[in-house]
Amino acid sequence: MNKNSDDGERINLLGMTRQRLESFFVGIKEKPFRAKQIMQWIHHRGIIDFNEMSDMSLKLRKTLSQIAEIRLPMVVDERKSADGTRKWLIETSGGGVVESVLIPSGNRATLCVSSQVGCSLDCSFCSTGKQGFQTDLSSAEIVGQLWLANKSFDVFQSGKGRMVTNVVLMGMGEPLLNFDNVVSAMNLMMDDLGYGISKRRVTLSTAGVVPQLDRLSRESDVSLAISLHAPNDHLRSQLVPINRKYPIAELLSSARRYLSSLNDINRRVTIEYILIAGVNDQLEHAIELSKLLKSFPCKINLIPFNPFPGSIYSRPSKRAISRFWKTLVDAGLIVTIRATRGDDIDAACGQLVGRVIDRTQRSTRYDKTNINPVNLRNSL
Ligand code: SAH
């Protein structure tokens, strides 16, 4: 264990891609294959203490402990829902707090990962947006959420394989506005020497930052989800303000370009559509949406609005939700309704706010659970 892991002077190897690690080792006059070895230790075996890396010479281990570290983000709270969902509150190096949620379902386990502390986009239905933007997460803080989720299930030691099968960048933040760190972290998630998750099972969700989406098509081939939420620009601009800059037609063209860059006719964009009572859930909206997406290669995921304190919206009735769903299905679209999970621990979509905002009020922060801050790095 690195005792001085907070001194900020050592280079953190946790979030480095294979390529960056190779350059790092070449830079210290070591062979590039060291990258492979260290990645297996960190991401396959969960080992973060250089002293335990037995296939490296003592001399190299000593050098590494002097100049580098494997620094995980700090877990300040972990909650378990009755339905198996788990949520971690993670403090970032800048002091802000993000959340990461694991949703088990059959033989899948999907980890919902955060990419920023807060968010600058201020979508009217989203609690994260209400706190504004604070900071970007580093690549290590993004991939660290996956490491921590695996660790909490003890998969590293037990050799039970990997716990997390799917990753969605649908936690806090707009991933395309933290482009470089998000792309590095996703590459590491997909690398066999990292977590080996297939590109189809890593999904980036965006509210529609068009220039960055175009850049993504040149640099990545992960699955794409678009937060659409409205069938026309007038309504969408009220719900998702970035629509005023990049309207629906531009966003869908960019998403199409992204899909064609994948060179695989079987891949589709996921269209996320929050259903908000009386706002975007009427028959006319469903009809307009089905026309808009009729020839767009997508599957639609309807998300019943999840309320949070202070929100002005409410969730439609079950009847209204199924009526909306049926209108789209009858128009020939592929549509699913997202089940709400982890409601009892505020882990549902749009309910992620970090909650722990003021560092000076640490003693009052855990009133819900009475869990003391746990520095996982110290407890390993
Ligand atoms: N900024 C990205 C990723 C974060 S939001 C994006 O906009 O896609 C992830 C998903 O949760 C989005 O589809 C978002 O619209 C949805 N969401 C946000 N607030 C919600 C709420 N209150 N109820 C249900 N879904 C919500």
Side-chain angles (χ1 to χ4, degrees):
M1 179 66 57
N2 300 318
K3 289 217 171 55
N4 302 319
S5 56
D6 284 328
D7 60 15
E9 284 164 22
R10 296 183 216 169
I11 184 158
N12 188 5
L13 307 184
L14 176 68
M16 284 194 188
T17 57
R18 189 191 299 214
Q19 220 178 5
R20 281 204 60 203
L21 276 172
E22 282 174 355
S23 326
F24 166 78
F25 280 109
V26 170
I28 60 166
K29 307 212 160 26
E30 283 287 332
K31 292 270 186 305
F33 76 83
R34 297 289 184 200
K36 186 175 171 186
Q37 288 177 316
I38 205 154
M39 285 177 79
Q40 285 171 326
W41 283 112
I42 304 172
H43 305 296
H44 291 184
R45 299 180 197 132
I47 299 294
I48 57 170
D49 184 343
F50 296 121
N51 291 322
E52 289 179 43
M53 301 182 180
S54 51
D55 53 6
M56 306 221 187
S57 69
L58 280 175
K59 186 166 159 275
L60 175 56
R61 287 188 240 168
K62 194 165 166 231
T63 309
L64 286 175
S65 348
Q66 281 161 357
I67 61 167
E69 62 181 325
I70 298 157
R71 188 172 70 243
L72 290 158
M74 191 162 79
V75 174
V76 290
D77 191 3
E78 178 176 359
R79 293 185 194 167
K80 294 178 188 169
S81 160
D83 69 13
T85 302
R86 287 193 193 198
K87 178 168 92 166
W88 294 272
L89 263 75
I90 289 167
E91 190 166 314
T92 61
S93 58
V97 172
V98 294
E99 303 188 358
S100 118
V101 177
L102 185 76
I103 308 143
S105 168
N107 49 14
R108 278 159 59 133
T110 302
L111 186 69
C112 180
V113 165
S114 291
S115 57
Q116 294 182 314
V117 183
C119 185
S120 59
L121 297 184
D122 200 22
C123 298
S124 64
F125 48 80
C126 178
S127 59
T128 304
K130 302 292 162 229
Q131 61 177 261
F133 170 72
Q134 291 181 46
T135 43
D136 282 333
L137 264 60
S138 66
S139 168
E141 286 167 338
I142 299 169
V143 91
Q145 296 171 53
L146 181 49
W147 191 99
L148 289 165
N150 278 330
K151 184 77 181 178
S152 86
F153 283 89
D154 210 23
V155 288
F156 292 132
Q157 271 80 4
S158 63
K160 268 186 248 151
R162 291 160 198 164
M163 177 63 203
V164 177
T165 58
N166 296 55
V167 172
V168 291
L169 279 120
M170 294 182 188
M172 297 168 68
E174 168 50 51
L176 289 183
L177 291 179
N178 183 13
F179 193 92
D180 292 337
N181 293 338
V182 163
V183 168
S184 294
M186 293 190 309
N187 285 342
L188 204 41
M189 291 170 182
M190 294 186 288
D191 193 323
D192 282 343
L193 293 174
Y195 297 83
I197 303 177
S198 111
K199 59 191 177 187
R200 291 165 181 277
R201 290 166 177 245
V202 175
T203 303
L204 181 145
S205 175
T206 180
V209 193
V210 166
Q212 302 300 78
L213 181 52
D214 285 333
R215 188 175 161 204
L216 190 74
S217 63
R218 295 188 291 273
E219 300 189 25
S220 182
D221 55 1
V222 292
S223 296
L224 178 66
I226 300 280
S227 288
L228 191 65
H229 310 318
N232 61 60
D233 283 325
H234 180 69
L235 183 53
R236 187 165 196 265
S237 293
Q238 292 166 30
L239 301 175
V240 184
I242 199 174
N243 191 69
R244 295 175 202 149
K245 206 164 177 189
Y246 306 114
I248 294 176
E250 273 186 44
L251 175 56
L252 292 185
S253 307
S254 175
R256 247 185 218 282
R257 288 194 289 277
Y258 185 79
L259 265 189
S260 42
S261 75
L262 301 178
N263 282 325
D264 179 352
I265 50 159
N266 295 318
R267 289 183 76 185
R268 292 168 185 273
V269 173
T270 299
I271 297 287
E272 293 163 278
Y273 193 103
I274 298 183
L275 285 169
I276 309 172
V279 174
N280 65 353
D281 66 337
Q282 303 297 298
L283 192 59
E284 77 219 43
H285 298 123
I287 293 170
E288 202 178 359
L289 186 65
S290 52
K291 284 187 185 144
L292 180 71
L293 299 176
K294 205 169 58 187
S295 57
F296 190 77
C298 67
K299 48 189 183 210
I300 301 169
N301 194 205
L302 299 176
I303 314 166
F305 172 73
N306 288 314
F308 54 89
S311 68
I312 50 167
Y313 299 129
S314 55
R315 186 184 292 191
S317 66
K318 281 204 172 118
R319 216 167 137 243
I321 296 172
S322 13
R323 193 185 52 192
F324 198 93
W325 172 81
K326 191 165 182 310
T327 308
L328 299 178
V329 170
D330 288 348
L333 294 160
I334 305 169
V335 197
T336 51
I337 301 174
R338 188 178 295 174
T340 295
R341 300 283 305 268
D343 239 354
D344 53 340
I345 54 167
D346 290 340
C349 302
Q351 292 183 327
L352 309 185
V353 279
R355 273 190 210 280
V356 186
I357 294 164
D358 185 351
R359 287 170 71 93
T360 60
Q361 293 176 354
R362 193 169 274 237
S363 56
T364 59
R365 299 188 318 192
Y366 307 98
D367 52 341
K368 259 193 162 178
T369 52
N370 274 333
I371 295 177
N372 288 322
V374 181
N375 183 338
L376 206 80
R377 278 177 288 156
N378 294 337
S379 64
L380 293 175

